[in-house]
Structures are given as C-alpha cells and as structure tokens.
Amino acid sequence: RTLSLSCSDKILKWNQIGMQGSLLSIILSEPVTLSSVIIGSECFNLESCKRAFFARYPDSNKHLEIHNYTQAEFVDQRHVDKVPCPDSSLFVAGSQSFREAYVAGLRQGWSKKKLDNPKSWSSVCQTKLASRTQDIMKMLQSNKTPDSLEDETSCDNFTYGALKQMASDYNSRKAKFKVNMKNWPDKKAELYNFEL
C-alpha cells in the first residue's frame, strides 16, 4: 500500500482541513481553502468530480464550484506510453526570486555523498520550511502577536514533529478527517522525529 495521494484525494483533504499544512497553520488564523476547481478535459464528468472532491466525505458541508473548460485541452494528460519524469524545477517569484532544479528528488549538482551539507537541500525541504516557520514565530513573539503565540517561551530545540504538533486547530481538523476517512494512509511518526 502506498502513502501517495491522488490529485482528487489531495483536493478532498484540502477542502476539509485546509491546504496550508501544519507549519503554516501555526502562523495563520484561518485555514486556506479552495473555492473552485477548473478541469480542462473532454473526459469531464461533474458527478465524478463532486464525489471525488467532497461528496465521499461524510457530512461534508464544504462544496467546491467545479468548472469544465474544454477549449484548451491539457495536452500532457495521462497516456499509456508516457512515464513520469524524475526531474523537476522550482521557481519562486518575488523580491528574492530564485530557481532550483532537482534530479531524482535531489538538488541538481550535488552527489549523494554530500547530502549532509545544508547547501544541497531543497529550499522547500521539511528542515528549511520548519526553520523559516521558527524564524517567523520568533518575529511574531517579539511583536507579541498573534495571541496564540504569546505564551510560547521558545521555539528553539524542537523536533520537526513537535513543531507540527503546535498547530492544534489544524491537527484537530486532521484527526477528525482521518476518523471519517478510515482507510486514509498514515505516515509513521518516526519520519518527523528529527532535530531542527
């Protein structure tokens, strides 16, 4: 059994608990949710999309607007003769924009022997995202905002898992989601028990 989720699984989960994840939930006061989805395919089936995105969740009151746009067919949709590429790229726009390329999940230009060097890590790896979250938490604590962070004495010396557990509202929504979706894959807690 795989821990991977399909696109419709992710949209279902995001629709119920938010798409911001636990780290960003520590900082944000409300979940980030989708209001609509646009599907560009002639194979579009509205009822199938409703079931996949929200109707299969028990007592779902969070619906999405689902639109079909077939004037521009998505040319790279699934084909039997195509296989996924293990390479990817990341582009971040803004005042501190940057690009990164990854080969088989590793930052391009770094050998497997040097992966303990922080410069070899992706800018969006768990360790770096957690570090940025801690930096923002420290900044918020020094400004005494938001209220939920005022009582925290320190955000240093955490494991990644302990930092994720600070998002109590998000974790409550996630726990309820998993109760309602009994066969949902669950990652082992040991994957999050590394020092930051």
Side-chain angles (χ1 to χ4, degrees):
R1 182 174 159 169
T2 180
L3 294 177
S4 298
L5 300 174
S6 68
C7 294
S8 61
D9 287 342
K10 289 177 185 177
I11 292 171
L12 172 72
K13 180 181 171 188
W14 293 341
N15 198 33
Q16 299 303 318
I17 65 175
M19 57 192 296
Q20 71 287 337
S22 57
L23 295 183
L24 199 50
S25 291
I26 297 168
I27 299 162
L28 298 177
S29 59
E30 296 290 325
V32 177
T33 57
L34 297 171
S35 59
S36 63
V37 175
I38 299 172
I39 299 174
S41 175
E42 292 177 0
C43 300
F44 176 78
N45 181 294
L46 181 60
E47 291 308 312
S48 293
C49 290
K50 285 180 179 179
R51 184 198 61 76
F53 299 155
F54 56 81
R56 64 182 161 139
Y57 186 78
D59 302 322
S60 177
N61 59 358
K62 298 178 183 175
H63 301 277
L64 291 171
E65 289 183 35
I66 303 171
H67 305 280
N68 182 227
Y69 182 76
T70 57
Q71 293 177 346
E73 187 75 13
F74 183 58
V75 295
D76 292 318
Q77 59 187 310
R78 185 183 298 182
H79 291 282
V80 177
D81 60 336
K82 292 185 178 180
V83 295
C85 176
D87 303 338
S88 60
S89 60
L90 169 69
F91 173 72
V92 176
S95 61
Q96 298 177 352
S97 65
F98 65 91
R99 295 172 190 230
E100 290 180 358
Y102 308 103
V103 178
L106 306 174
R107 196 160 170 194
Q108 186 176 22
W110 289 88
S111 71
K112 289 183 180 180
K113 295 177 185 175
K114 297 183 179 180
L115 293 182
D116 58 342
N117 184 332
K119 290 181 180 180
S120 73
W121 303 344
S122 162
S123 294
V124 293
C125 72
Q126 291 175 331
T127 301
K128 288 197 176 180
L129 290 176
S131 175
R132 289 180 189 213
T133 301
Q134 288 177 306
D135 291 344
I136 293 169
M137 289 171 62
K138 288 175 189 174
M139 181 184 70
L140 291 172
Q141 286 174 351
S142 68
N143 294 332
K144 299 295 183 197
T145 58
D147 294 339
S148 62
L149 296 177
E150 284 185 12
D151 297 332
E152 298 297 330
T153 55
S154 173
C155 50
D156 293 324
N157 303 321
F158 274 101
T159 64
Y160 180 72
L163 186 62
K164 286 173 68 78
Q165 289 305 309
M166 291 179 68
S168 56
D169 289 344
Y170 176 83
N171 289 318
S172 295
R173 288 191 305 274
K174 188 174 181 180
K176 180 182 175 190
F177 178 82
K178 288 185 175 184
V179 165
N180 285 320
M181 301 299 289
K182 295 181 182 9
N183 294 321
W184 201 262
D186 204 9
K187 293 181 183 171
K188 295 180 180 177
E190 301 89 66
L191 295 174
Y192 303 125
N193 288 337
F194 58 88
E195 296 283 330
L196 299 175

